[in-house]
Amino acid sequence: MQTEKRMWQAAVIGMFAAVAAVAEENNTTQTVQEAVINAPVSEIWKAFTTNDGYKAFGVAKADIDFRVGGKMRTHYDPQGTIGDPNTIENIILSFEPERMLSMKVVKAPENFPFKTAINNMWTVIHLDPIDGGHARVRVVGMGFTPEDESQKMRAFFDKGNAQVLKILQSRLGRGDSQDDAAATEKAIHSLAGEWAFASKGPDGGEFRGHMVARVMMGRSFVLAESELGDANKLSPHGHGIFGRDPNGGGMRVWDFGEQGAISSAPVTLVGGNHLNYQWVQQRAGGPAKEYFIDETLESADALRFELFDLRDSDKRGERPQHDPMVNVLWKRVGAAQSAANPASNGGAAKAASNGNDDLRFTGERFVTGKRIEREVTVAAPVEKIWRAWTTTEGVTSFFSEGAKVDLRVGGPYEIYFRKDAPEGSRGSEGCEVLSFLPKEMLSFSWNAPPENPEIRKQRTIVVVQLTDLGERGTKVKLTQNGFGEGSEWDTVRGHFEKAWPMVLKSLKETLEGTTQR
């Protein structure tokens, strides 16, 4: 019985065929599982892609060669050896850092009962960050067939879903530790009182703030109400409520801004005196903005507040390496008893300034990093756009004059831009379908133009994701990653930064021009 249980764990966890029990009904060709994990997407990504990360699943040994075509070899027996008959081997088909990972089993354990059926299966894992400390994990097992063995294997994986979810959440999720939550709550409660700062603003004038933090509802919540302004006037800025997260058990903040913006995020205590949280700020009619906040308790009466605008190059859940947009030092000026009249506290706010604590505001900047991301909304049904990307006829309708597309893992994805050019210089010759989810996601390898012969020998990864918007049509998001370092790589990347918008424009014009709505 114990041997059967270990075999089940090795197959289910090692092949990543499950993370939660939410299987799609009436679809015998795939399994779909998803769960919300109480951890930053960066930590979940490490669990799926690094040797140490695999320990979150109870793996005894792991050997991960993280690249397209690289092997992920794992072993659950501490006495076993990587490479022996009970080693599990997956090959990496495709990935998008901290967003998507696709893999295929190339070697099952010696006693795995579905040796034939496993050859047709591959797995796609999607990570969808909800905020700085939560992410939705969606795992889709593909390639199941009507044959009895394949359907028994599908049931085998479905049976283990709930247990795998428990493993991931208990070993990786934040908020489960009562001790950690209690320490964070204690640090937040210590902020109860009246605070103020005064400094120079971006225009050289005086910039000041006032805040009152109060413990409420039998110590269940802490309400922090802040005001910002200049030398003459303070105006309401934000209302932050700190309390226990009913879903995860850890501490969480809910913030309501003066312009209608609403934000929420889990709060973690780092190093004993840093309160960290990362949130997506939502405002009706406006774009969502993502920020990281680091509040440092420098002493019982001094609180350093730093706010960072998050960029693509920043690691989610970690303090960014670049300068913060805002850096101010709040000083305690009194105990909190009631909300103070802003006008009566101007003197206290001014007294908090030490003359050397300038507000540092770097402005909103956006750094794209090495990844290219472009998207377009097309007024056409998702089925038609899927055919445009995944068939030879569809590709030649908007992308190029010739193509060879075979929608299967490992099938050719060759787009010919110069049909009369010498063989090897016509287009994306040698590129392949890496992974796909019908009507949702297509990933293929991609090469550089012939003008860059050395880089052309290598491959980048393109991921096309489709989102059905109903009557509005379909959102098409294209991502290209895997660029290297150096001037020639920069030239290639610059080429595609210009090329992909033209491809998406052509897709939109072609599909909308022929679609009957």
Side-chain angles (χ1 to χ4, degrees), residues 112-175:
F112 187 67
F114 311 109
K115 290 291 184 63
T116 301
I118 197 67
N119 293 329
N120 298 318
M121 180 187 172
W122 72 96
T123 302
V124 181
I125 303 169
H126 279 290
L127 307 184
D128 182 18
I130 299 173
D131 52 37
H134 291 78
R136 181 175 289 102
V137 179
R138 182 170 182 258
V139 178
V140 183
M142 292 290 298
F144 296 99
T145 64
E147 283 75 20
D148 184 62
E149 180 185 335
S150 186
Q151 289 304 304
K152 286 182 178 179
M153 182 177 70
R154 183 175 180 274
F156 174 82
F157 282 120
D158 282 340
K159 182 180 179 181
N161 291 347
Q163 180 63 27
V164 175
L165 173 61
K166 290 179 182 178
I167 292 173
L168 190 65
Q169 289 183 321
S170 65
R171 300 195 182 191
L172 192 64
R174 291 185 176 178

Side-chain angles (χ1 to χ4, degrees), residues 410-430:
Y413 200 86
E414 299 187 353
I415 313 298
Y416 307 132
F417 302 103
R418 307 168 182 174
K419 293 180 67 175
D420 297 330
E423 186 175 350
S425 301
R426 293 177 295 173
S428 66
E429 293 147 292

Side-chain angles (χ1 to χ4, degrees), residues 162-447:
Q163 180 63 27
V164 175
L165 173 61
K166 290 179 182 178
I167 292 173
L168 190 65
Q169 289 183 321
S170 65
R171 300 195 182 191
L172 192 64
R174 291 185 176 178
D176 296 329
S177 168
Q178 294 300 314
D179 291 340
D180 290 347
T184 305
E185 185 175 42
K186 182 178 179 180
I188 292 172
H189 281 199
S190 73
L191 300 178
E194 186 178 356
W195 301 78
F197 77 82
S199 186
K200 291 181 181 179
D203 60 358
E206 187 175 53
F207 181 78
R208 62 191 180 100
H210 175 258
M211 177 176 66
V212 174
R214 293 175 290 170
V215 179
M216 304 173 62
M217 306 294 181
R219 301 186 65 79
S220 296
F221 298 98
V222 173
L223 171 64
E225 298 177 290
S226 61
E227 302 158 311
L228 297 178
D230 55 24
N232 300 314
K233 181 182 179 181
L234 289 172
S235 300
H237 173 63
H239 299 261
I241 300 175
F242 295 81
R244 291 269 183 166
D245 187 341
N247 295 315
M251 295 300 294
R252 193 172 186 86
V253 59
W254 295 264
D255 186 81
F256 305 88
E258 80 276 13
Q259 296 180 351
I262 300 176
S263 309
S264 177
V267 183
T268 56
L269 183 65
V270 179
N273 68 331
H274 290 264
L275 292 168
N276 288 172
Y277 44 103
Q278 177 182 311
W279 64 35
V280 178
Q281 187 182 83
Q282 305 278 354
R283 180 182 292 112
K289 296 183 179 180
E290 196 172 10
Y291 299 101
F292 183 92
I293 294 92
D294 185 359
E295 297 192 46
T296 306
L297 293 154
E298 296 187 353
S299 71
D301 298 317
L303 176 68
R304 173 75 60 183
F305 178 90
E306 295 174 284
L307 181 145
F308 299 82
D309 59 321
L310 286 182
R311 310 165 185 176
D312 276 3
S313 56
D314 293 329
K315 288 186 175 297
R316 269 42 184 177
E318 298 180 12
R319 177 188 167 97
Q321 298 300 309
H322 53 81
D323 292 336
M325 289 177 60
V326 176
N327 184 332
V328 295
L329 183 67
W330 290 89
K331 293 189 175 182
R332 192 187 299 272
V333 295
Q337 297 180 353
S338 62
N341 186 321
S344 67
N345 282 277
K350 290 182 180 180
S353 174
N354 61 7
N356 297 314
D357 194 37
D358 292 346
L359 175 77
R360 294 187 284 275
F361 189 93
T362 62
E364 293 190 18
R365 296 173 291 179
F366 182 74
V367 178
T368 60
K370 294 296 181 181
R371 178 187 301 175
I372 294 176
E373 288 188 5
R374 298 291 185 270
E375 65 179 52
V376 66
T377 298
V378 182
V382 67
E383 293 85 357
K384 192 159 190 175
I385 296 178
W386 179 250
R387 289 196 299 271
W389 282 101
T390 59
T391 65
T392 298
E393 296 78 8
V395 167
T396 54
S397 71
F398 78 96
F399 204 158
S400 66
E401 59 181 17
K404 181 181 179 182
V405 176
D406 184 0
L407 187 63
R408 58 181 173 83
V409 173
Y413 200 86
E414 299 187 353
I415 313 298
Y416 307 132
F417 302 103
R418 307 168 182 174
K419 293 180 67 175
D420 297 330
E423 186 175 350
S425 301
R426 293 177 295 173
S428 66
E429 293 147 292
C431 294
E432 300 179 345
V433 175
L434 298 177
S435 182
F436 66 91
L437 294 177
K439 301 177 186 178
E440 290 186 38
M441 184 276 292
L442 169 69
S443 177
F444 51 88
S445 57
W446 202 244
N447 55 8

